[in-house]
Amino acid sequence: MSLEQEADALQTPPRLFLPRRRQLLIGRRGLVASTLSTLLVLGGLVAVFYLAPGGASVRFFFFNPHHMWHSFIGDPRQGLSSVGRGLIVNIWIFLVCEVLVLFFGLIIAWTRMSQSPVLLPFRILSTTYTDVFRGIPILLVFFLVGDGLPALQLGFLSNQSPAVYGCMSLTITYSAYVAEVYRAGINSVPHGQTLAARSLGLTHYATMRRVILPQAVRTVIPPLLNDFISLQKDTALLSIFGAIEAVRAAGIYASTEFNFSGYVVAALLFLILTIPMTRYTDHLIARDRSLRLAAA
Amino acid sequence: METVLELNAVVKRFGDNEVLRGVSLSLHRHEVVCLIGASGSGKSTLLRCANLLETVDEGSISLFGQSLLSPHIDPDLVRRHIGMVFQSFNLFPHLSVLENILIGPLHALKRDGDEVREEALALLERIGLRDRADDFPDRLSGGQQQRVAIVRALAMRPSLLLLDEVTSALDPTLVGEVLDLLRDLARSGTTMLIATHEMNFARDVAHQVAYLDHGVLVEQGTPEQIFVSPRHEATRTFLDRVR
């Protein structure tokens, strides 16, 4: 094609319409389509659940309203712990660990990023620490702490309750994660900020405290909340030491009454705890992104 | 005249790359020296070496006759006497304009809050931004931000100011207001070492102009000497290209 022909070809108006099939999904018809597809998918899932060969027994053993309620409130006379009260233990452990993790995580991140020659051994230690505990399955940490520390016969350290060992294990593991989150946040602050602060004669410490950390906090909050959501769930691991939290209470109920509805209750209770947090985290991430877009 | 800053045969390497190859330069009180040269010629590195943001590999640097490369020197104390302004402003985005100016005097010099505040507001008044004191930097234009950055450095009452291509990141229409402020400072006797691409400005303001080429200080002299009758071929070629 010659240049003139090409120029001519551009003169004919180009086609700009969607294919006819996709035109059916515009506007109100689109709403109808999305409603229909939602109903279809949900209906399909429910149908599978009801029509499966073992559906009836699953409904009886897992979703039995009587047992769900009974396991939720518990019954001391029959030796049944309340799943609801167990959850309060989970919440307590979560709150305690959260504070400890925030603190130790910052210490680890700080030593890892320090520059003083005196702190070199601690720098190596904290790097090793984060590598090791991000790499070991948390279940193993629980066994190592819960069985290992008592075996050491270290007096005070070896005579703690299962709940304390559980908290220690969670704190040890999650501090490693959170230290990395802090470090990423600190690294996300542009280097020019450090140069500007140091050129004003601010010390390393003052630069961190007045300039870098306040800016890092904003980027760090969503990933921190993500880790806390996991932490909240992982409090259930305390059940392996026999601490009576929600999952353990459901387990006791299951072995006594031969009905697993307590587990479903525990699952629902965990969801009630975590869903607001996941929604809030997503909200923060979205807001942060729109702020950044507005700034650019 | 008293010598403020003196660089003697300064060598700086980044790996195998020799960025400064034995640069010597001195700056006297109330003097303005402009560093000119292509991008990558080592102007920024020279400024950063001068306030110890970079380490120096060879040579010596002294401030008021005291060697800055002595191991007993506290870099934080040195930097409190040397103001620096960057190409990209580097204001602290989480602090208001006023807080940006206060942070150095309050947290590096540990001076009294009320007194420092008065001074900071007076400085803002001088650049016509007193009514923006409580705004955050991102509400300001580039030229306003850079002027705040200059004032932030001045609030430390430095013995000299280092300015690193402070108009290069600005919209052409905003360059003037920043250069006017620098002219103003030069007239009032501020000692300044200015890396710049603004040749007309250098010609007006500088007492000395130094041409830097691939880390070598090729030629130094009064603006007339450099801009009217440069002695070196390299200087001539560079000036022809930028004009």
Side-chain angles (χ1 to χ4, degrees), chain A residues 191-204 206 210-212 214-215 295, chain B residues 48 51 53 76 79-80 82 84 86 90-94 103-104 107-108 152-153 156:
Chain A
H191 187 55
Q193 294 288 308
T194 308
L195 288 180
R198 297 311 296 270
S199 78
L200 285 170
L202 292 173
T203 59
H204 174 71
R210 310 265 167 203
V211 176
I212 306 301
Q215 294 186 64
Chain B
R48 286 179 187 196
N51 73 348
L53 284 178
D76 292 328
R79 294 188 196 115
R80 284 169 202 176
I82 303 180
M84 182 151 192
F86 301 86
N90 296 355
L91 291 178
F92 306 128
H94 61 299
I103 187 171
H107 301 297
R152 175 175 71 178
M156 294 291 289

Side-chain angles (χ1 to χ4, degrees), chain B residues 30-59:
Chain B
H30 306 311
E31 194 176 39
V32 176
V33 173
C34 281
L35 283 173
I36 59 171
S39 301
S41 58
K43 302 189 297 291
S44 298
T45 309
L46 184 71
L47 295 185
R48 286 179 187 196
C49 287
N51 73 348
L52 306 181
L53 284 178
E54 293 287 357
T55 55
V56 169
D57 293 309
E58 286 169 37

Side-chain angles (χ1 to χ4, degrees), chain A residues 67-286:
Chain A
H67 284 292
M68 284 170 89
W69 176 246
H70 199 194
S71 65
F72 177 66
I73 55 169
D75 189 348
R77 281 167 304 166
Q78 292 172 268
L80 294 176
S81 320
S82 151
V83 175
R85 194 157 317 141
L87 192 78
I88 294 174
V89 176
N90 290 85
I91 294 174
W92 258 112
I93 289 167
F94 165 68
L95 290 176
V96 170
C97 290
E98 178 181 344
V99 173
L100 292 174
V101 161
L102 279 174
F103 176 72
F104 286 114
L106 186 61
I107 300 283
I108 294 163
W110 193 297
T111 42
R112 189 164 176 190
M113 299 183 81
S114 66
Q115 290 166 342
S116 158
V118 184
L119 291 177
L120 177 70
F122 296 100
R123 203 145 54 230
I124 296 172
L125 268 181
S126 55
T127 310
T128 319
Y129 181 91
T130 46
D131 283 357
V132 167
F133 285 103
R134 282 192 308 159
I136 300 182
I138 190 163
L139 190 61
L140 285 181
V141 178
F142 266 80
F143 287 138
L144 289 174
V145 171
D147 299 333
L149 276 185
L152 277 178
Q153 303 188 347
L154 269 173
F156 171 73
L157 262 184
S158 301
N159 289 308
Q160 295 298 331
S161 71
V164 172
Y165 289 130
C167 279
M168 282 170 81
S169 314
L170 287 173
T171 306
I172 286 171
T173 303
Y174 275 87
S175 295
Y177 287 115
V178 165
E180 287 304 284
V181 169
Y182 279 130
R183 207 163 65 95
I186 289 168
N187 284 332
S188 75
V189 179
H191 187 55
Q193 294 288 308
T194 308
L195 288 180
R198 297 311 296 270
S199 78
L200 285 170
L202 292 173
T203 59
H204 174 71
Y205 174 78
T207 301
M208 272 296 196
R209 174 156 179 232
R210 310 265 167 203
V211 176
I212 306 301
L213 287 181
Q215 294 186 64
V217 162
R218 219 181 47 189
T219 44
V220 149
I221 285 176
L224 268 189
L225 285 177
N226 261 331
D227 277 351
F228 285 155
I229 292 164
S230 316
L231 175 61
Q232 214 165 43
K233 291 183 306 175
D234 280 348
T235 54
L237 285 167
L238 261 81
S239 59
I240 58 178
F241 292 154
I244 314 277
E245 44 68 71
V247 177
R248 179 75 182 168
I252 293 171
Y253 189 90
S255 54
T256 319
E257 298 280 310
F258 200 58
N259 189 289
F260 303 113
S261 300
Y263 286 124
V264 175
V265 172
L268 289 175
L269 290 177
F270 272 107
L271 278 179
I272 291 171
L273 278 188
T274 51
I275 282 183
M277 212 142 120
T278 45
R279 288 297 96 218
Y280 182 62
T281 310
D282 280 3
H283 164 75
L284 280 185
I285 292 171

